[in-house]
Amino acid sequence: MLKGILLQSTAAPAGGGWMQQLLLFGGIAVVFYFFMIRPQQKKQKDQKNFISDIKKGDRIVTIGGVHGRIAEMDDDTITLDVEKGAKIKFEKSAISLEASKKLAGKA
């Protein structure tokens, strides 16, 4: 009699288990998309738009923390005027959107 009770309690559910797992994994994928992937794509789009909209004379901050005013621009590079006469050349991808916005907010 004890053996029959143990077999009944350890038996798998009759059905619907795979459907619940599918819904659970689908829900996790949706949450992962809206909280991880989508915000990252938006941030990359904003960074790309910011870099394409900068112009000569704008004050920016690089990823490394160098502050300066854009003196010259090429297709992929910018030249920053960091002091009187001191110029440094950077790739456009080295411009920090967040730090440059903070700098613009202070001014």
Side-chain angles (χ1 to χ4, degrees), residues 11-22:
W18 65 271
M19 188 64 149
Q20 289 175 347
Q21 286 183 346
L22 184 64

Side-chain angles (χ1 to χ4, degrees), residues 20-94:
Q20 289 175 347
Q21 286 183 346
L22 184 64
L23 288 174
L24 177 67
F25 287 127
I28 290 171
V30 168
V31 168
F32 186 75
Y33 174 77
F34 280 107
F35 286 106
M36 300 289 286
I37 297 171
R38 192 165 176 237
Q40 184 65 28
Q41 289 175 340
K42 185 179 183 308
K43 186 176 178 181
Q44 288 174 347
K45 182 180 174 186
D46 290 344
Q47 175 76 17
K48 185 177 178 182
N49 289 339
F50 175 73
I51 289 175
S52 67
D53 291 342
I54 59 173
K55 59 191 176 300
K56 186 176 177 179
D58 288 348
R59 295 188 60 78
I60 60 163
V61 180
T62 65
I63 293 171
V66 178
H67 294 241
R69 186 176 305 272
I70 297 176
E72 297 174 23
M73 292 181 62
D74 293 332
D75 291 335
D76 296 332
T77 60
I78 58 167
T79 303
L80 286 183
D81 187 12
V82 292
E83 269 187 20
K84 296 175 184 166
K87 294 183 180 183
I88 304 174
K89 190 176 244 184
F90 285 96
E91 293 289 322
K92 280 186 177 179
S93 60

